[in-house]
């Protein structure tokens, strides 16, 4: 993921950390440090995501949705706005077959961007811990919506989604049409990243993405917790407790979605530039976490000035936490995949990146959707020396 990360970092302020079509072209800046591993050969075995840490088994199901009340902003001739949603949820038992990570075509299209040392077939076979259509655990559970980074897919947040589900959350990971290198739809059709060209070459502002994703999330919530839910186990969702988190522009979209939809009680931005200013009333007292890299981009006074502006506008409970040694993809499955395929890695190890992201995201939702005390959010701790609390 480091090749993607470097391309992303170079355009972070101009393109909402978007991945451009040129990321697969190696440059001198892409060269690994002395002694670093390189992806010279395809590993034959698939990667395995870290095991979830909660007490529940994890169920998984995929819901294809189409909002025909809207015109797709990237392809106006499309038949509505297509969305693919993966639900992870606490399961009563571990029945059902293993949940797939990605389709072969989705994985192939992302692997092309990662470089010749990454096999799309092996990437698609990454081992997960969810069981397809397993029966949900009894009770009603808070809902968390996840939105991925620009040009990558919902399945790059699977490790986080599975962990939240194992801790008792229903998690809806959303793929947004034409905003990923590849999104497979029912019937074998694959949508590619039309929006990448629009932002990179046509000068379309990133707020078009965040506003569109906010409308996507509103539609997903309508279909999950509305009167005619598309999920037959919708009674497992507690519609009074809803949160949203996202990576990169998906994190910026969490704030935009909260402004647009009062049903969302709490939000997290994981290392994304904010493309829209908060209104004068902020988020009307709702809590928000900014979780990012501990570097010149997302420290107070850093290159991404949108974090300072948004922090000042947040009017409820808030935290600004940065993780030393992380890079842009440390908050996704990127570290696990980079390690497996021999791609250059940041200083923060894959195991620590996964553990820290899971720790702070789950603690935030535990506190604000369940009312549970989570002292890890109160300040620095010896157990997590990489986490720095910013109070500009």
């Amino acid at each position: 993921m480091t090749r993607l990360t470097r391309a992303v970092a170079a355009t972070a302020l101009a393109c909402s950390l978007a991945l451009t079509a040129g990321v697969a072209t190696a440059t001198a800046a892409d060269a690994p440090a002395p002694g670093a591993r390189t992806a010279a050969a395809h590993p034959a075995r698939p990667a395995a995501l870290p095991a979830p840490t909660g007490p529940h088994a994890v169920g998984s199901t995929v819901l294809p949705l189409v909002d025909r009340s809207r015109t797709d902003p990237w392809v106006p001739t499309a038949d509505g706005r297509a969305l693919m949603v993966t639900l992870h949820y606490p399961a009563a038992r571990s029945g059902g077959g293993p949940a797939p990570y990605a389709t072969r075509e989705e994985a192939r299209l992302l692997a092309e961007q990662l470089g010749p040392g990454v096999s799309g077939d092996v990437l698609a076979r990454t081992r997960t811990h969810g069981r397809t259509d397993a029966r949900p655990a009894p009770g009603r559970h808070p809902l968390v919506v996840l939105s991925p980074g620009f040009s990558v897919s919902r399945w790059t947040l699977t490790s986080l989604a599975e962990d939240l589900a194992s801790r008792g959350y229903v998690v809806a990971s959303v793929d947004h049409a034409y905003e990923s290198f590849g999104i497979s739809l029912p019937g074998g059709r694959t949508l590619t990243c039309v929006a990448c060209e629009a932002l990179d070459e046509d000068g379309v502002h990133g707020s078009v993405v965040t506003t569109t994703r906010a409308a996507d999330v509103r539609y997903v919530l309508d279909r999950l917790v509305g009167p005619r839910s598309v999920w037959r186990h919708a009674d497992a969702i507690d519609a009074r407790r809803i949160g949203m988190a996202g990576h990169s522009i998906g994190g910026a979209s969490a704030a935009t979605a909260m402004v647009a939809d009062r049903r969302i009680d709490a939000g997290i931005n994981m290392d994304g530039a904010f493309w829209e200013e908060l209104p004068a009333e902020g988020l009307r007292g709702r809590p928000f976490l900014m979780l990012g890299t501990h570097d010149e981009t997302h420290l107070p006074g850093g290159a991404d000035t949108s974090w300072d502006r948004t922090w000042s506008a947040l009017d409820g409970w808030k935290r600004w936490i940065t993780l030393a040694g992380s890079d842009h993809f440390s908050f996704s499955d990127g570290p696990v995949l980079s390690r497996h395929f021999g791609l250059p890695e940041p200083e923060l190890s894959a195991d620590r990146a996964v553990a820290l992201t899971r720790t702070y995201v789950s603690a935030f939702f535990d506190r604000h959707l369940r009312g549970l005390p989570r002292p890890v959010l109160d300040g620095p701790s010896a157990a997590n020396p990489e986490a720095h609390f910013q109070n500009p």
Side-chain angles (χ1 to χ4, degrees):
M1 285 288 186
T2 300
R3 299 176 85 178
L4 290 171
T5 302
R6 293 176 190 270
V8 163
T11 57
L13 302 183
C15 200
S16 184
L17 300 170
L19 307 180
T20 67
V23 294
T25 303
T27 68
D30 293 321
R37 294 180 297 134
T38 59
H42 299 298
R45 59 181 177 81
L49 297 180
T53 59
H56 295 283
V58 177
S60 176
T61 194
V62 176
L63 302 175
L65 301 176
V66 181
D67 182 0
R68 292 189 171 86
S69 71
R70 291 187 289 148
T71 299
D72 191 288
W74 313 115
V75 181
T77 57
D79 181 20
R81 174 75 173 161
L83 305 168
M84 292 296 293
V85 178
T86 295
L87 291 182
H88 290 95
Y89 52 89
R93 57 178 183 271
S94 58
Y101 187 60
T103 69
R104 287 192 177 186
E105 184 63 7
E106 288 172 337
R108 182 188 70 80
L109 290 167
L110 180 58
E112 287 180 352
Q113 306 301 321
L114 292 171
V118 180
S119 161
D121 179 65
V122 174
L123 177 61
R125 291 188 288 111
T126 297
R127 293 197 295 271
T128 71
H129 300 274
R131 310 298 292 185
T132 300
D133 295 327
R135 182 166 58 86
R140 297 173 70 83
H141 310 282
L143 173 66
V144 173
V145 178
L146 295 182
S147 181
F150 191 69
S151 80
V152 293
S153 295
R154 68 192 189 280
W155 41 270
T156 61
L157 296 174
T158 300
S159 176
L160 177 59
E162 289 186 336
D163 192 64
L164 286 170
S166 77
R167 294 171 183 252
Y169 292 88
V170 176
V171 183
S173 302
V174 184
D175 253 336
H176 310 269
Y178 303 108
E179 296 177 18
S180 163
F181 289 129
I183 301 172
S184 295
L185 301 183
R189 191 160 65 101
T190 299
L191 308 183
T192 55
C193 195
V194 176
C196 291
E197 181 177 344
L199 266 66
D200 188 45
E201 299 179 14
D202 300 338
V204 173
H205 196 265
S207 62
V208 176
V209 179
T210 53
T211 299
T212 300
R213 290 196 180 192
D216 292 346
V217 171
R218 177 185 289 275
Y219 182 73
V220 169
L221 294 181
D222 289 345
R223 300 312 311 276
L224 283 179
V225 301
R228 291 179 293 177
S229 178
V230 294
W231 189 36
R232 64 190 181 99
H233 300 298
D235 56 356
I237 299 174
D238 184 348
R240 301 167 301 173
R241 297 182 291 168
I242 298 176
M244 180 175 174
H247 174 234
S248 195
I249 206 166
S253 300
T256 302
M258 289 180 72
V259 171
D261 196 327
R262 291 297 304 275
R263 290 176 294 183
I264 305 173
D265 301 302
I268 302 175
N269 179 357
M270 297 184 291
D271 211 51
F274 293 94
W275 279 95
E276 299 178 73
E277 305 293 332
L278 292 181
E281 64 270 23
L283 296 178
R284 298 185 177 182
R286 286 170 290 172
F288 201 86
L289 169 64
M290 303 192 320
L291 181 64
T293 53
H294 187 74
D295 58 16
E296 66 279 359
T297 300
H298 284 144
L299 286 172
D304 183 358
T305 58
S306 72
W307 275 43
D308 290 282
R309 295 195 306 273
T310 301
W311 175 261
S312 298
L314 291 170
D315 61 327
W317 186 101
K318 58 185 179 180
R319 292 291 186 273
W320 180 339
I321 302 175
T322 54
L323 301 184
S326 62
D327 68 11
H328 183 56
F329 277 92
S330 292
F331 308 92
S332 69
D333 293 350
V336 176
L337 301 178
S338 291
R339 179 176 62 187
H340 184 75
F341 287 105
L343 298 172
E345 300 174 42
E347 179 183 346
L348 186 65
S349 72
D351 291 340
R352 287 300 290 162
V354 169
L356 288 165
T357 300
R358 287 174 164 183
T359 292
Y360 288 101
V361 170
S362 63
F364 174 83
F365 288 128
D366 282 352
R367 179 166 183 166
H368 297 294
L369 298 184
R370 287 177 156 159
L372 300 175
R374 289 294 181 257
V376 73
L377 296 172
D378 294 338
S381 66
N384 299 318
E386 305 94 336
H388 297 260
F389 284 67
Q390 311 300 331
N391 295 290

